[in-house]
Amino acid sequence: MKFGVVVFPGSNCDYDCYHVLKHVLGRDTDFVWHKDSDVSKYDCLVLPGGFSYGDYLRTGAIARFSPVMDAVRRHAEAGKLVIGICNGFQILLESGLLPGAMLRNKSLKFICKYVTLRVEETDTPFTRRIAKGALLRIPIAHGEGNYYAEDAVMESMHKNRQIVLRYADADGWITDEANPNGSRGNIAGICNEKRNVFGLMPHPERSSEAELGSSDGVKIFRSILDVAEAN
Amino acid sequence: MKAKVYVTLKKSVLDPQGKAVQQALSSIGFGSVKDVRMGKYIELDLGSTTAPEAEKELKAMCEKLLANTVIEEYRFELN
Amino acid sequence: MKAKVYVTLKKSVLDPQGKAVQQALSSIGFGSVKDVRMGKYIELDLGSTTAPEAEKELKAMCEKLLANTVIEEYRFELN
Amino acid sequence: MMATSEITPEILQRHGVTPSEYEEIKRILGREPNLTELGIFSVMWSEHCSYKNSKNVLKLLPKDGKRMLVKAGEENAGVVDIGDGWVIAFKIESHNHPSAIEPFQGAATGVGGILRDIFTMGARPILCMNSLRFGKIEESGVKRLVSGVTAGIAHYGNCMGVPTIGGEVYFDESYEGNPLVNAFALGLARKEEIVKARAEGTGNPVFYLGAATGRDGMGGASFASKDLSEDSQKDRPAVQVGDPFLQKLLLEAVLELLKTGCVVGIQDMGAAGLTCSTCETASRGSTGIEIDVKKVPQRETGMVPYEIMLSESQERMLVILKKGREAEAKRIFEKWDLHAEEIGFVTDDNLMRVKENGRTVAEIPAKRLADDAPVYTREEREPAYFKKLQAYDPKSAGPAGDLNAALLKLLDSPTIASKEWVYEQYDHMVRTNTTVLPGSDASVIRVKGTKKSIAISVDCNSTYCYLDPYEGGKIAVAESARNVACSGAAPLSVTNCLNFGNPHNPEIFWQLKRCIEGMRDACLAFDTPVSGGNVSLYNQNPRGAIDPTPTIGMVGLIEGRAPVTSHFKKAGDVIFLLGENRDELGGSEYLKTLFGVKAGRVPRLDLAAAKTLVDLLLALASKGLLASAHDCAEGGLAVALAESCISERGREIGAQVSLTAGRLSPEALLFGESQSRVVVSTDPKHTQAAREVIESFRYPYQEIGTVGGSQLSVDGLLRIPNKVLTHTWRDSIRRRMEAR
Ligand SMILES: Nc1ncnc2c1ncn2[C@@H]1O[C@H](COP(=O)(O)OP(=O)(O)O)[C@@H](O)[C@H]1O
Ligand SMILES: [Mg+2]
């Protein structure tokens, strides 16, 4: 299982993802520069968080034109895995690899804090090691995580079971108070119809070591390992 | 040739920023303001080109980059 | 009465966003774009009022809240 | 060089150059300066760059220590050895005035500037902190400042990917109209990676890297160019706009470049931009430097040399390369999409020479310009208020009445209340090293690949410094050392930002000197040398000066252990109070919040006891005996207990406490601010061991209760449910910021 962590100008969680994959999980991991156009040797690509191109214009809007994105698209079309975290999720939305778009948080403020996530779907390569309905404590850190999709898209995502993570309260209820950013349906993470592309606003790489306060995030990365290593 | 592009959120999309601005206006004495919608205003210098050409290019720029048509609408003016 | 407010950075103020957008446009094939300046476009519904009254209020709103006059300029239209 | 006589007394005055300084300039040049040269001298000899009014008192601060690799004043930031080949570079700097004019951009560029100082040293910035001070939060103008400043800090730090892991926010009327924004940054490097800001090697090329130069931040000096260029007058921005994205690229490119070994010296362009970076690198290298301003990338048209040399545009660096290694460097600049231009070279004539298209427009001995600014010793006088306010008897305020209500009022006071509303806007977790998140006494960052952690605390009780600058200066250092020790870290070194009023006022200068003397004595007692800092004078509003505010940034080191946090951990743990409760309500937050009184004799700090406490905490921590440790500061013991119960969201827990009052009034017992006290808790199985350690240090202590339940109860004095404490304390600032 070989991971590639894509580095865009302004990415700043690239090293954090690399650290978890390489040092915590001991997997073969490279950085992939955004001007590269060959990603064929990787099984899973990680689009990390940060402020690619300063988040200017819209989050992810400029990064999606980076040369590497054509390769990411082909990689996804070939059924290989892509996970976009925070800014990486925003890039996946802008590039159309996932449906919907991001608006500014309803508080209009950047928010960095731990949230509780409820795992809605477990038949994805990214959550298969986790029980359905399980609660994960993972931090968010974003100014634009207010997910929006129009009604028809919401319906089809629902029908295809693409809504993977939702913001929940400590008891697992999906409430407005538990929604940190105004996201439609408390959506925190979604996958595509083929289930090989996953985007989420929370940062699993920040909660993958007990020393940091939670290791719930590592469950997501471990799920990915299982998939590939079973194949 | 110069162009002005206006990018606004679609009517169906909630505008948190507009709402916050409206509340702020109301708190400083402009309570009669009924609605506020925030958008982007982009001025471009297109260099030397013709109007039809510019029109075509602008449309492409908006579709590809300047607006996200999932949530936004755009219009532009040339002069 | 409806109003449109345009808020732009003063000319000599650095516009990092505009610069980034220009570079992005250039990298996707619009290299002839010479300059991009980003601003805000705000639509307001002022409720029922008169034009002179609205004009006065809008000016006050801009000065107090809508524009940051240390670095920005504004203009507006009523209709 | 032309010897024109374009310098009129009026021009001198507008440059803030005194007649005697002008005579000195002429002596240095051997002729009259032209306008460009005058501009260059005026910025280099400004208070900001030359410390002319503070240098003589700054000398009092101890700079030496066995861990100090780069000492205060030598480079952009001090460097401290943390062992095993690792070093840290850190500094705190003010951006008060720009933040008052434009809070968002002012604070943002303050963060940008301090980060540049750190990575210029070859160290990767791994954390930011800040100290913010505002007037009363209820005022709408203050709210605008609070939201602008915090959003600005978030904007820059978050985008750079450097976690902002803590700081302090303090509210007091004296900061009305003159907020303080002090930004701290710390970077990590291997010892051999530290680089110097030196221009060496005649003929080596000088590169300009980063953003193009515009007419930014020339506020004070702007008039002078009026006659020089027409379009400069219109729309001159008094504030600079930061581009954190560009700086993120600069950061990565510079660190990559430094690894290649093709850099001779590097310096950021901060205050006084090109002027300062060229003459300082030449002065430090004992060389000369020649640049041509026509080669400097420019954002605006028609800029004249004066403007280019004085511009304070952000996100720019000066890089001196080894000759012949240019191509290597250029590849890195291109990789990061950065604009670089060769603008000059190193010379051997010790001059800073500025040309415009080959014509010399300024020529100044670099060392004299950089290092020989005049130094003044100002007159000092004990302020009229000093004795009068000392004489105030806190008893005259009367009793508190309902003690529960008094505690809630203190917890609701924005200075004491949770700063969650602020730090939630900062990405405090990026880089996945923050092992103690904001909210404890000190924030802690682990150093990956080692067993080391770094603990930081930024502190200053400016009310104390106003009432008694000497004690206040001492206490600021002692409190920050105590905070760091509460996390289990050994205090290593201090950086400081001296925020004061106008030094020409003898009473202000007295405050400055007395604060520094207090800091000196405390730094000596803790063996924490001052590694650097910054001075910000002339902090005044129409009603007078701000309270003296020597912000201390204390850095400590934890080796091979997990950090300790402030929060009680589990029911049954035993609570100790280390230290003595005395009758010390003078200068307290209690008097200020409940009675609107800022007066009295501030608590005395015994340095020997303070040092013993630090050693004791380290001994307890190293033996793994501490479940929690939280120091008593503003609001006294009652606030410390309440915070120990509720400071961790979702893990609130109560405590059952009983105190022996002795001769103290309940008010003094609960809310007095006696120094060198810490509330600690231990697992019952460690209680005996903890007692033995404490007794071996002969430090006064009491066993005051146990952790558990859902309320804070202090026998006969207080009883408040956690829910009420939490709601009051956690949401105080949010409530006020969101109130319309
Ligand atoms: N209060 C202070 N205590 C100790 N050193 C100080 C203090 N203020 C400034 N210095 C030192 O003086 C030198 C010059 O500071 P400054 O001009 O702010 O540097 P820069 O321009 O690089 O930011 C620095 O090394 C700084 O650490
Ligand atoms: Mg500097």
Side-chain angles (χ1 to χ4, degrees):
Chain A
M1 178 89 194
K2 198 167 167 65
F3 287 90
V5 178
V6 181
V7 183
F8 297 94
S11 292
N12 63 32
C13 304
D14 44 348
Y15 186 78
D16 302 351
C17 294
Y18 178 89
H19 168 73
V20 170
L21 295 167
K22 177 97 174 177
H23 302 133
V24 178
L25 296 172
R27 290 317 191 277
D28 198 1
T29 309
D30 291 339
F31 288 113
V32 178
W33 184 236
H34 75 115
K35 290 176 187 169
D36 291 350
S37 49
D38 180 9
V39 296
S40 53
K41 59 176 178 235
Y42 303 105
D43 304 295
C44 177
L45 291 175
V46 181
L47 273 53
F51 288 71
S52 58
Y53 293 93
D55 273 358
Y56 292 136
L57 192 64
R58 294 181 309 278
T59 55
I62 301 181
R64 81 150 166 121
F65 292 106
S66 272
V68 77
M69 285 308 292
D70 282 332
V72 172
R73 182 181 304 278
R74 286 194 304 273
H75 175 96
E77 279 163 3
K80 298 207 233 170
L81 304 184
V82 180
I83 175 170
I85 300 168
C86 196
N87 192 230
F89 184 14
Q90 293 161 338
I91 296 170
L92 292 174
L93 294 173
E94 281 283 341
S95 59
L97 285 166
L98 289 172
M102 284 298 173
L103 298 167
R104 281 184 71 177
N105 293 349
K106 66 172 184 241
S107 66
L108 304 183
K109 293 196 184 316
F110 189 96
I111 305 172
C112 175
K113 66 173 185 187
Y114 269 97
V115 295
T116 302
L117 303 172
R118 194 173 79 190
V119 179
E120 307 287 85
E121 301 296 340
T122 55
D123 63 336
T124 80
F126 309 93
T127 48
R128 51 189 269 161
R129 276 280 286 253
I130 313 174
K132 190 161 179 139
L135 301 181
L136 305 178
R137 218 176 135 254
I138 296 185
I140 54 168
H142 59 248
E144 300 198 15
N146 182 351
Y147 179 82
Y148 173 85
E150 52 187 77
D151 295 346
V153 175
M154 290 293 286
E155 262 166 48
S156 84
M157 282 205 299
H158 192 75
K159 202 178 83 225
N160 298 322
R161 296 179 301 103
Q162 287 170 257
I163 299 169
V164 181
L165 299 172
R166 290 187 208 263
Y167 301 108
D169 69 13
D171 301 319
W173 299 104
I174 305 300
T175 63
D176 278 351
E177 294 71 51
N179 186 339
N181 50 28
S183 220
R184 254 198 120 166
N186 283 40
I187 285 179
I190 57 173
C191 65
N192 62 349
E193 277 185 52
K194 275 165 61 187
R195 308 185 98 66
N196 63 324
V197 178
F198 178 41
L200 73 170
M201 287 314 291
H203 286 272
E205 79 281 12
R206 295 185 180 189
S207 48
S208 287
E209 293 165 89
E211 202 186 345
L212 297 174
S214 164
S215 45
D216 286 352
V218 83
K219 295 174 186 166
I220 290 176
F221 296 111
R222 282 198 199 282
S223 297
I224 305 175
L225 299 183
D226 266 18
V227 181
E229 284 157 17
N231 292 345
Chain B
M1 188 161 276
K2 306 265 165 100
K4 293 170 183 166
V5 178
Y6 307 85
V7 180
T8 49
L9 282 175
K10 288 182 180 170
K11 288 267 153 11
S12 55
V13 177
L14 205 71
D15 177 10
Q17 210 180 345
K19 216 171 115 219
V21 169
Q22 188 202 337
Q23 281 165 1
L25 282 173
S26 151
S27 77
I28 58 170
F30 303 102
S32 58
V33 174
K34 287 227 165 61
D35 188 34
V36 179
R37 302 283 293 177
M38 297 289 297
K40 289 179 199 137
Y41 170 63
I42 312 171
E43 293 176 341
L44 299 104
D45 180 346
L46 302 177
S48 61
T49 172
T50 63
E53 184 56 29
E55 185 117 359
K56 219 179 77 201
E57 290 226 312
L58 265 175
K59 186 158 188 307
M61 288 182 219
C62 289
E63 293 281 337
K64 276 182 112 168
L65 179 70
L66 300 180
N68 177 346
T69 52
V70 175
I71 41 172
E72 294 171 328
E73 315 176 309
Y74 64 88
R75 67 193 161 78
F76 53 80
E77 288 160 14
L78 275 166
N79 62 337
Chain C
M1 189 160 276
K2 304 267 164 98
K4 292 172 182 164
V5 178
Y6 307 85
V7 181
T8 49
L9 281 173
K10 287 182 182 170
K11 207 163 130 236
S12 59
V13 173
L14 179 71
D15 179 8
Q17 189 165 205
K19 211 179 67 199
V21 171
Q22 186 205 336
Q23 281 164 0
L25 283 172
S26 153
S27 78
I28 59 171
F30 304 102
S32 58
V33 175
K34 288 225 166 62
D35 190 34
V36 178
R37 301 282 292 176
M38 297 291 299
K40 285 180 216 141
Y41 169 65
I42 311 169
E43 293 176 340
L44 298 104
D45 180 345
L46 302 176
S48 61
T49 172
T50 63
E53 185 54 32
E55 184 119 356
K56 219 180 77 202
E57 290 225 313
L58 265 176
K59 187 159 185 313
M61 289 182 218
C62 288
E63 294 279 337
K64 282 189 156 163
L65 184 77
L66 301 179
N68 174 355
T69 52
V70 179
I71 48 175
E72 293 172 331
E73 311 177 312
Y74 64 88
R75 67 194 161 77
F76 53 78
E77 288 160 13
L78 276 165
N79 61 339
Chain D
M1 285 290 301
M2 56 269 130
T4 48
S5 172
E6 46 189 348
I7 312 300
T8 64
E10 199 210 350
I11 287 185
L12 281 184
Q13 199 193 356
R14 285 167 140 178
H15 277 82
V17 173
T18 66
S20 73
E21 288 171 354
Y22 189 55
E23 288 311 310
E24 183 60 21
I25 292 172
K26 285 196 288 191
R27 249 194 312 278
I28 289 175
L29 294 176
R31 60 179 164 80
E32 287 206 8
N34 61 33
L35 195 51
T36 304
E37 290 167 331
L38 182 74
I40 288 174
F41 270 103
S42 78
V43 294
M44 284 310 293
W45 288 10
S46 68
E47 182 61 40
H48 186 89
C49 290
S50 74
Y51 295 90
K52 57 188 168 190
N53 289 305
S54 55
K55 213 170 199 159
N56 275 338
V57 279
L58 283 179
K59 277 194 205 135
L60 298 171
L61 294 171
K63 292 199 284 189
D64 300 324
K66 58 181 192 306
R67 289 179 181 273
M68 309 305 293
L69 296 178
V70 173
K71 291 185 203 163
E74 291 178 354
E75 294 283 342
N76 283 305
V79 176
V80 175
D81 193 341
I82 59 165
D84 303 325
W86 294 97
V87 302
I88 51 176
F90 59 93
K91 189 173 171 192
I92 189 166
E93 213 164 67
S94 66
H95 231 216
N96 304 337
H97 187 60
S99 304
I101 300 175
E102 213 304 284
F104 183 91
Q105 292 295 343
T109 52
V111 173
I114 192 68
L115 285 170
R116 271 197 305 284
D117 270 337
I118 299 305
F119 70 77
T120 302
M121 304 286 303
R124 176 177 283 280
I126 57 169
L127 67 94
C128 287
M129 305 268 286
N130 55 72
S131 166
L132 310 177
R133 281 147 201 276
F134 304 99
K136 280 200 137 130
I137 194 175
E138 286 79 10
E139 312 261 329
S140 74
V142 172
K143 273 196 234 181
R144 192 185 63 90
L145 285 173
V146 174
S147 48
V149 164
T150 52
I153 290 171
H155 169 68
Y156 214 106
N158 295 358
C159 183
M160 286 285 290
V162 179
T164 301
I165 63 169
E168 57 165 357
V169 194
Y170 198 98
F171 298 89
D172 184 280
E173 282 164 359
S174 92
Y175 303 107
E176 208 89 66
N178 195 123
L180 300 187
V181 175
N182 293 178
F184 171 104
L186 181 145
L188 178 73
R190 298 293 298 167
K191 198 169 185 170
E192 64 279 4
E193 287 171 344
I194 290 295
V195 286
K196 303 285 167 81
R198 283 178 196 189
E200 286 169 340
T202 305
N204 276 331
V206 174
F207 276 78
Y208 171 112
L209 177 65
T213 296
R215 294 182 176 98
D216 294 303
M218 298 179 45
S222 61
F223 69 91
S225 50
K226 167 166 64 187
D227 319 317
L228 300 170
S229 82
E230 292 134 38
D231 30 334
S232 58
Q233 274 312 293
K234 282 179 269 130
D235 313 320
R236 178 187 303 284
V239 275
Q240 304 110 284
V241 170
D243 184 351
F245 168 59
L246 177 58
Q247 181 150 310
K248 166 74 174 158
L249 303 183
L250 271 180
L251 161 70
E252 298 302 336
V254 163
L255 293 181
E256 192 171 328
L257 182 68
L258 291 172
K259 287 216 159 58
T260 64
C262 61
V263 174
V264 175
I266 183 164
Q267 164 121 9
D268 67 305
M269 297 189 213
L274 256 179
T275 291
C276 181
S277 55
T278 49
C279 76
E280 283 193 357
T281 47
S283 167
R284 292 197 187 108
S286 297
T287 53
I289 195 164
E290 174 174 322
I291 61 166
D292 194 319
V293 292
K294 265 286 161 298
K295 297 180 180 155
V296 170
Q298 292 162 41
R299 197 175 81 227
E300 297 177 65
T301 52
M303 291 184 71
V304 298
Y306 181 103
E307 294 172 312
I308 296 169
M309 292 307 292
L310 269 60
S311 161
E312 296 190 346
S313 293
Q314 299 287 305
E315 291 95 22
R316 304 179 300 162
M317 313 281 293
L318 192 79
V319 187
I320 296 129
L321 291 175
K322 289 185 184 148
K323 199 169 176 55
R325 307 282 295 270
E326 292 89 338
E328 220 173 314
K330 281 182 185 159
R331 267 198 302 279
I332 292 173
F333 300 147
E334 268 158 33
K335 168 180 171 190
W336 292 101
D337 300 321
L338 287 171
H339 189 167
E341 282 296 335
E342 184 172 341
I343 60 167
F345 49 89
V346 179
T347 66
D348 59 4
D349 59 11
N350 298 322
L351 295 173
M352 168 205 196
R353 188 178 302 106
V354 181
K355 293 192 166 177
E356 184 183 34
N357 260 336
R359 185 178 63 95
T360 301
V361 293
E363 194 173 271
I364 305 173
K367 214 177 207 80
R368 311 284 321 262
L369 173 62
D371 300 341
D372 289 355
V375 178
Y376 304 109
T377 300
R378 296 287 165 204
E379 198 189 323
E380 54 184 284
R381 184 176 353 104
E382 186 182 291
Y385 72 78
F386 183 61
K387 293 228 161 63
K388 195 177 121 221
L389 293 181
Q390 296 260 321
Y392 173 84
D393 179 3
K395 295 204 176 60
S396 64
D402 181 347
L403 294 171
N404 287 326
L407 174 57
L408 290 175
K409 207 151 181 203
L410 279 167
L411 291 173
D412 185 51
S413 132
T415 295
I416 289 178
S418 164
K419 305 302 183 295
E420 185 179 275
W421 183 90
V422 174
Y423 64 71
E424 269 187 10
Q425 295 179 62
Y426 307 149
D427 187 339
H428 45 265
M429 304 180 196
V430 63
R431 303 191 62 74
T432 62
N433 292 324
T434 319
T435 47
V436 177
L437 303 179
S440 265
D441 285 326
S443 298
V444 181
I445 285 265
R446 65 174 178 177
V447 178
K448 282 195 187 105
T450 74
K451 292 192 156 38
K452 299 173 193 296
S453 298
I454 295 163
I456 327 273
S457 167
V458 169
D459 275 291
C460 175
N461 183 319
S462 51
T463 298
Y464 295 172
C465 291
Y466 170 71
L467 294 174
D468 188 338
Y470 175 76
E471 284 299 320
K474 249 166 67 182
I475 289 175
V477 174
E479 181 182 350
S480 58
R482 192 161 71 230
N483 282 336
V484 159
C486 279
S487 74
L492 286 189
S493 172
V494 157
T495 181
N496 70 99
C497 189
L498 300 170
N499 305 272
F500 288 79
N502 182 345
H504 293 269
N505 175 341
E507 299 193 344
I508 304 278
F509 195 76
W510 182 84
Q511 292 176 338
L512 174 65
K513 188 163 173 211
R514 292 297 287 158
C515 274
I516 289 182
E517 287 169 349
M519 289 161 58
R520 170 199 59 199
D521 290 352
C523 286
L524 288 171
F526 293 107
D527 190 18
T528 50
V530 173
S531 73
N534 168 253
V535 179
S536 168
L537 302 177
Y538 307 97
N539 288 291
Q540 309 259 147
N541 62 33
R543 287 197 317 276
I546 60 162
D547 285 351
T549 313
T551 311
I552 301 297
M554 176 68 77
V555 176
L557 181 66
I558 306 179
E559 297 259 22
R561 267 184 280 117
V564 179
T565 60
S566 306
H567 188 250
F568 288 149
K569 296 298 175 309
K570 63 177 200 315
D573 281 0
V574 177
I575 308 170
F576 290 89
L577 171 66
L578 308 180
E580 270 176 327
N581 306 316
R582 295 194 216 98
D583 192 6
E584 294 184 305
L585 275 170
S588 65
E589 193 64 27
Y590 164 80
L591 284 182
K592 221 159 97 174
T593 304
L594 273 86
F595 301 96
V597 170
K598 196 197 275 187
R601 186 171 184 269
V602 311
R604 295 298 105 171
L605 179 91
D606 175 7
L607 283 172
K611 172 71 165 104
T612 303
L613 174 62
V614 165
D615 293 340
L616 167 58
L617 287 165
L618 296 183
L620 289 167
S622 70
K623 296 189 161 64
L625 303 177
L626 294 180
S628 74
H630 184 27
D631 92 309
C632 297
E634 285 91 354
L637 178 57
V639 165
L641 284 168
E643 287 175 345
S644 299
C645 291
I646 59 171
S647 63
E648 197 162 322
R649 184 188 264 284
R651 300 194 179 154
E652 295 81 3
I653 190 162
Q656 174 76 46
V657 171
S658 119
L659 299 171
T660 40
R663 295 192 321 271
L664 295 186
S665 68
E667 289 85 355
L669 177 66
L670 294 174
F671 308 123
E673 298 182 4
S674 291
Q675 293 297 297
S676 301
R677 292 181 303 162
V678 173
V679 172
V680 303
S681 67
T682 69
D683 188 293
K685 69 172 185 278
H686 294 317
T687 317
Q688 186 49 32
R691 271 191 214 110
E692 281 162 19
V693 174
I694 302 168
E695 279 162 20
S696 76
F697 278 79
R698 297 169 198 275
Y699 202 76
Y701 77 101
Q702 306 172 40
E703 210 170 299
I704 59 171
T706 48
V707 175
S710 59
Q711 62 178 9
L712 170 64
S713 124
V714 178
D715 280 358
L717 299 174
L718 296 172
R719 181 188 296 270
I720 310 181
N722 279 342
K723 276 214 169 66
V724 177
L725 294 173
T726 304
H727 169 78
T728 306
W729 175 80
R730 191 174 294 282
D731 296 332
S732 160
I733 292 183
R734 190 182 315 273
R735 253 192 321 271
R736 287 172 166 82
M737 290 303 293
E738 285 170 6
R740 300 203 177 271

